[in-house]
Amino acid sequence: MKILVFNAGSSSLKFGLFRGRAAQPLIRGEIEGLGTRTAQLWWATGRTRKTQALTGVLRHDRSVQIILDL
């Protein structure tokens, strides 16, 4: 079983994907700058971290879809 957790703030959306009851996430990350033209997505798996600039003004609903597409 995998569990996807979201933590929504006013201008960010943090996430983590966990396997069962494992304390360490399989993937974790955040979209920062929601509601601005300079939103940025970062995510990490293990020791690998990637960053991606996002265009347009994003809301939480579109951000969830971007995360699910990862």
Side-chain angles (χ1 to χ4, degrees):
M1 171 177 53
K2 293 180 183 170
I3 301 168
L4 179 59
V5 177
F6 289 103
N7 180 354
S10 60
S11 64
S12 67
L13 183 63
K14 298 176 184 174
F15 64 93
L17 179 65
F18 299 85
R19 182 186 320 264
R21 296 181 183 192
Q24 293 296 321
L26 299 171
I27 183 172
R28 62 184 178 84
E30 179 177 6
I31 296 180
E32 304 168 305
L34 295 178
T36 71
R37 296 186 189 276
T38 58
Q40 182 173 338
L41 164 66
W42 71 264
W43 70 97
T45 57
R47 296 181 186 199
T48 303
R49 181 178 166 138
K50 297 184 180 184
T51 304
Q52 175 183 344
L54 302 171
T55 59
V57 178
L58 296 177
R59 298 184 328 201
H60 286 84
D61 56 348
R62 177 69 180 118
S63 299
V64 169
Q65 189 58 54
I66 290 170
I67 292 166
L68 293 175
D69 290 344
L70 270 177

